[in-house]
Amino acid sequence: MATTASIYRNGNYSKNSLITNNNKVERPPSVNSNPKNSLKSKSLRKSAPAALGAAKDDTGVPGRVRVAVRLRPRNAEEMVADADFADCVELQPEVKRLKLRKNNWDSDTYEFDELLTEFASQKRVYEVVAKPVVESVLDGYNGTSVLDGYNGTVMAYGQTGTGKTYTLGRLGEEDTAARGIMVRAMEDILADVSLETDSVSISYLQLYMETIQDLLNPTNDNISIVEDPKSGDVSLPGASLVEIRNQQSFVELLRLGEAHRFAANTKLNAESSRSHAILMVHVKRSVRGRDSDLSSENGNNSRMVKILKPPIVRKGKLVIVDLAGSERIDKSGSEGHTLEEAKSINLSLSALGKCINALAENSAHVPVRDSKLTRLLRDSFGGTARTSLVITIGPSPRHRGETTSTIMFGQRAMKVENMLKLKEEFDYKSLSRRLDLQLDKFIAEHERQQKAFEDEIERVTMEAQNRISESERNNADALEKERTKYQKEYMESIKKLEEKWMMNQQKHSGGENIPGLKDESSNAISNGKDSRVANMEELAEMKKKLQKETLLRKVAEGEVNILKSQLAGLKKSEASAKSDISKLQKMLEDEARQKEKLEGEIATLQSQLLQISFEADETARRIDKGGSEEVLGGLDSLMLQVRQPQINDSGNGEKASIAKLFEQVGLQKILSLLEAEDADVRIHAVKVVANLAAEETNQEKIVEAGGLKSLLTLLRSSDDETIYRVAAGAIANLAMNETNQELIMAQGGIRLLSMTAGNAEDPQTLRMIAGAIANLCGNDKLQMKLRSEGGIKALLGMVRCRHPDVLAQVARGIANFAKCESRASTQGTKTGKSLLIEDGVLPWIVQNANSEASQIRHHVELALCHLAQHEVNARDMISGGALWELVRVSRDCLREDIRTLAHRTLTSSPTFQSEMRRLRIDH
C-alpha cells in the first residue's frame, strides 16, 4: 500500500526521490519530525488506498482532481410529492458507478472516484473526501531551504438544498457525529502540530455579489485580490488572519462567520446560502536542521568540520470552499434582491464551469478572470494544489435536469490535472549574482558583435572608396593618355606643316608667296582643337553611361531579390494550399461517409414510420367501428408499447422515448378517447395521459394538444371516482410548471378542483386534488384568484378525510400559500392581515403543529413561521394560541432550518417579545 510519504512522478512510483534542476528541488512529503507528535502522525497519515486526493489515482494520472458524489436522502416534501415516483439516481458504491434514470426504462451510467449513499456518515465523508488532502497539507520535506508545503482544496458543488453546507460547515455541537469537514479537518491539524513551535491561523471569507467580504470582521466588506506577477499566486492581504490555539476557539470563529453569512428563504431551501464561503487554513511548521560533516585534507592531516544547517519553516495552506447552490429561478421562486443574488451566483458558477471545460479539453485559453471565484480557485484547478471535489445531489425526479448538470460538472472536473509539487523559496542573492554575471556576459558579447559589425562596415566602406579611387585613377590615366596622344599628334602635324612651309620657303625664296599655304596651316590648327574638344565630350558621355549602367545594375539586383522572396512566399503558399486541399478532401470523405450513414438511418426511420402509421390506421379503423373491446385492445397495445419499446430494424438497440412513440401514433387520438361513451375506454385513456404527464418533457406537448382542457372537461362531466383520481393526478403533474398553473387558473381549474373535492370521498382522490391545489398555492401571481375561487376553503374542507397523506398535501398547500404571502409582505406588495387567518385556517394550523406525522408537522411548522414573519398577524396568532407553538418550534423542531427561522421570527417581532415578557417565557 502506498502511503503519503511516497509520490508518483510521470506515472512511475518513486520513494524519497530528489530531483534538482536550476535550484528547484522537489521532494515527497515527509512524516512529522516532531517526536512529541510521532504517534499522532502515524495514525493520521494512514488513509484508504481508494481515498480522494491520494498522490496516484486509479487511472495512473498524477495529481488529477478527485470527485466524490454524495446523495441526500428524501426530505419530507419529496416523500409526499414524489411518493409515486422512483428516485432519479441509483448508486452502486461497490463498483463506483452511478446510474441516472432518463425515464422508466432508460438510464445513463457514470463512474466516479467515490460514491456516498444517503446512509453515509459524516465521518465516512470526511475520511474519503478531505482527510487525504489534510495529510498532504501537513506533509512536505526539504533539508536545505525554506519552502511551502502542499496546498490542498476541498470543495462542495451542487444544487441548492442538496447538503453542501451540511457536509462542510456543520458544527455538530448537539451531535458530535454530525460534525462537518471544517471541524474535523481542524481537529486533525491541531492533533498533528506542536503549538510550541508551529502555528495555525485561519481566514474566513464570503464572495457575495462579486465582492469579497471578511466574515470575521464584517466592516471589511471589499477585499481586493492581489496576484504575484512572477508566480501568479493569489493572495488576500486585506483579510483577517486569526491564530488558532484550540478547537473551541475555532468553532466559535466558525459560528461567528456563519452568523454574518447571507442567507434567504426560497422555495427549494428555507435557509439558502446566497454567497460562496471560503475557509483558508494556514499551517506553519518548524523543523530542526540536521548536522552534516564536511571533511578537508591539509597535507597528511584530515579534519572534520561540523556544519549546522538552518531551521526549516514548512508552510501549507488548506482551502475549504462551500459554494452557493445553483438554482433555476422558476423553481426557487427568487424575486427582487433575491433574484439579483441568484443571478450573481449562477454567473460565478457558470464562469467556474467554463474554466473546468477549458481545462478538461486542454484549451490554450482558460478564462480565469471572468469571475473573482475563478481567480480565487485558479490554484485548485489546473494549479499546484491537491483538490478533492464532492458534488451533492438529490433523489427527486423533479430536479433531474439540475442533477444531470451537477453530474456532468463532476465528470469534467475529473479530467483536470494539477501539478502536485513543493514550491521552493529561492536564494535570491545567489540568483541575482548569477543573473548579473549572465548580464555582463551578454553585454560583452553585444559589444563584441557591435565592434565586429562596425569593423565590417568600415572595411566595406574602405573597399568601396578604394574601388572608386581606382576607377577615378584609371579614368584620369586614360584621359591623360588620350590628351597626350592628341597633343603629340597635334605637335607632329604642326611640325610637318612647318617643315613643308620651310621647304616651300626655300623653293620659292625671293619669289612670291605660295597662295593658300597660310590658310592651310591655320585650318590644321583649328581642326586639332576641334578634335580635342570632341574627345573630351565623348569621354564625359562615356562616364555618364557608366554611372547609368551601375544604377541599372543595382536596380536589377534589387528586383531579382524581390522576385526571389516572392517566389519563396509562393512556394510556401503552394505548400499550405496543398495541405488545405488534402484536409478538405479528407473532410469531404468524412462528410460523404456521414451522409451515407444518415441516409441509412433515415431509410430505417422511414420504414419504422410506415409500420407505425399502418398500426395507427388499423387502430383508428377499429375505433371508428365503435367496438369497445377493440378500442380497449388498441389502448392496451399502446400502453404495452410504452412499457416495452420495440427495438428498431437496424439492431442498434436504441429505445424510442414515450414522447416520440405517442407523437407517431397520434397524441390527439388518445385525447379524443377521453370523450368516449364507454367508461372503460375513458379510464384507459386518462391513465395513458396521466403516465405521459408524469414526464416533464411531455407536459408542454399535452397542453399544446389540448390535453389540459380535456382533463378539466372530464372532471366537469364525469362522476366516476377513478376518473376523478387519475385526472386530478395528471393535473397535479401539469401544475408543477408555472405556465401551466396560469392556464389551469384561466380555464377555471381551481373551481373544478374545489367542486370535485366536495364530491369525492376516496382518500387517494382527495390526495391528488390536494396536491394539485398545493402546487397552485406556490404561485405568487395567483394568490387572490385562488382564494376567491375557493381554493383555501377546498383545502380546509378536505381535512375531514383525516387520512395522513391527504393532510400532508393540505399542510403543504397552506405552507406554500403562507410563504408567498410572507414574500409579498416583505417586498411591500401586500398589506393587511393574512388571507389564511381571514379564512379560518389558523385554528387548524395550531391544532396540527405538533402532529405525530412528520410530513404534516414540518409543513405546518413552516406555515406557522411564515405567518409570524408579518407583524400584522401577531395579535391574531397570540389570541389563537400560536405563540406557544412557535416557541415550541424554536426549541424542539427536528429540522434546524425551521428551528432557526422560528427563533429569528420571535426575536425580530416586538409584539411577540412583549407578550413573552408578559408571560415570562424564557427565550
Side-chain angles (χ1 to χ4, degrees), residues 620-786:
R621 282 196 292 271
R622 289 197 297 271
I623 292 172
D624 293 338
K625 292 178 181 180
S628 61
E629 294 181 359
E630 294 181 359
V631 172
L632 290 176
L635 285 173
D636 290 338
S637 68
L638 289 177
M639 295 186 72
L640 183 61
Q641 289 180 8
V642 174
R643 296 186 178 90
Q644 300 178 354
Q646 297 178 350
I647 299 176
N648 58 22
D649 295 337
S650 61
N652 58 8
E654 295 181 356
K655 301 174 181 179
S657 68
I658 187 170
K660 288 185 178 179
L661 180 60
F662 277 94
E663 283 179 3
Q664 292 168 347
V665 301
L667 178 60
Q668 197 67 42
K669 295 179 182 179
I670 303 301
L671 296 178
S672 65
L673 297 179
L674 296 176
E675 302 175 1
E677 295 181 359
D678 193 307
D680 291 335
V681 174
R682 292 199 303 272
I683 291 173
H684 277 71
V686 77
K687 285 182 178 179
V688 172
V689 176
N691 285 333
L692 281 173
E695 292 287 342
E696 184 177 355
T697 55
N698 298 329
Q699 293 177 0
E700 183 178 355
K701 300 173 184 177
I702 293 174
V703 174
E704 289 178 354
L708 176 59
K709 184 177 181 180
S710 299
L711 290 171
L712 294 174
T713 303
L714 199 61
L715 277 183
R716 185 183 296 108
S717 60
S718 177
D719 55 358
D720 187 275
E721 191 78 22
T722 303
I723 291 180
Y724 283 164
R725 181 177 66 256
V726 182
I731 294 173
N733 287 334
L734 295 176
M736 295 175 66
N737 182 280
E738 184 175 352
T739 304
N740 294 342
Q741 291 172 358
E742 296 178 1
L743 289 175
I744 292 171
M745 294 295 294
Q747 297 180 19
I750 191 64
R751 186 176 289 107
L752 281 174
L753 289 172
S754 301
M755 293 172 56
T756 306
N759 298 329
E761 296 296 337
D762 180 56
Q764 294 304 318
T765 303
L766 292 174
R767 180 173 72 89
M768 294 296 183
I769 297 172
I773 297 177
N775 289 338
L776 295 173
C777 287
N779 193 318
D780 298 305
K781 304 174 184 177
L782 307 178
Q783 295 285 294
M784 297 302 296
K785 189 171 183 180
L786 190 143

Side-chain angles (χ1 to χ4, degrees), residues 201 352 368 602 640 773 890:
S201 55
L352 178 60
V368 294
I602 290 171
L640 183 61
I773 297 177
S890 68

Side-chain angles (χ1 to χ4, degrees), residues 180 434 465:
R434 189 166 67 251
Q465 288 179 352

Side-chain angles (χ1 to χ4, degrees), residues 5 66 85 205 215 413 455 462 469 499 549 631 712 727 763 864:
R66 306 301 300 263
F85 306 102
L205 313 166
L215 290 175
D455 292 344
M462 291 297 295
S469 300
E499 288 178 353
E549 288 295 330
V631 172
L712 294 174
L864 197 65

Side-chain angles (χ1 to χ4, degrees), residues 13 83 201 239 257 260 311 318 358 436 438 479 504 521 686 732 840 872 881:
Y13 176 83
S201 55
H260 294 146
L318 173 65
D436 287 340
Q438 194 171 4
L479 183 62
N504 289 331
S521 176
V686 77
V872 73

Side-chain angles (χ1 to χ4, degrees), residues 141-207:
Y141 172 78
N142 191 322
T144 60
S145 62
V146 178
L147 54 85
D148 291 338
Y150 285 121
N151 291 339
T153 301
V154 179
M155 188 168 66
Y157 178 93
Q159 182 192 8
T160 182
T162 53
K164 298 181 297 301
T165 304
Y166 178 84
T167 300
L168 296 181
R170 186 82 170 186
L171 299 181
E173 294 177 306
E174 299 177 358
D175 182 8
T176 55
R179 290 168 299 159
I181 288 177
M182 292 181 179
V183 177
R184 293 178 184 269
M186 183 56 69
E187 288 177 353
D188 280 354
I189 291 174
L190 292 177
D192 194 67
V193 302
S194 173
L195 295 179
E196 297 178 358
T197 58
D198 307 335
S199 69
V200 179
S201 55
I202 68 165
S203 297
Y204 199 15
L205 313 166
Q206 72 173 349
L207 178 59

Side-chain angles (χ1 to χ4, degrees), residues 253-356:
L253 289 174
L254 282 186
R255 186 185 295 107
L256 175 64
E258 285 298 319
H260 294 146
R261 192 176 177 189
F262 287 97
N265 181 13
T266 67
K267 290 182 180 180
L268 298 178
N269 192 355
E271 286 290 327
S272 175
S273 301
R274 315 308 289 171
S275 65
H276 308 297
I278 304 167
L279 176 68
M280 295 183 178
V281 182
H282 302 270
V283 181
K284 293 184 180 180
R285 313 190 66 181
S286 298
V287 181
R288 184 179 300 277
R290 296 173 296 175
D291 295 343
S292 61
D293 292 334
L294 178 67
S295 63
S296 62
E297 294 186 0
N298 184 8
N300 295 327
N301 298 326
S302 64
R303 57 192 178 90
M304 303 294 294
V305 181
K306 183 164 286 190
I307 300 175
L308 181 63
K309 295 183 178 180
I312 305 166
V313 177
R314 204 161 56 222
K315 296 185 290 184
K317 181 173 70 173
L318 173 65
V319 180
I320 302 178
V321 185
D322 179 13
L323 295 174
S326 60
E327 61 183 62
R328 288 177 57 179
I329 306 303
D330 57 342
K331 289 187 177 182
S332 64
S334 300
E335 292 182 351
H337 186 66
T338 307
L339 176 60
E340 296 301 320
E341 293 174 337
K343 289 179 180 179
S344 177
I345 292 170
N346 289 339
L347 283 175
S348 60
L349 293 178
S350 175
L352 178 60
K354 290 179 181 178
C355 291
I356 295 297

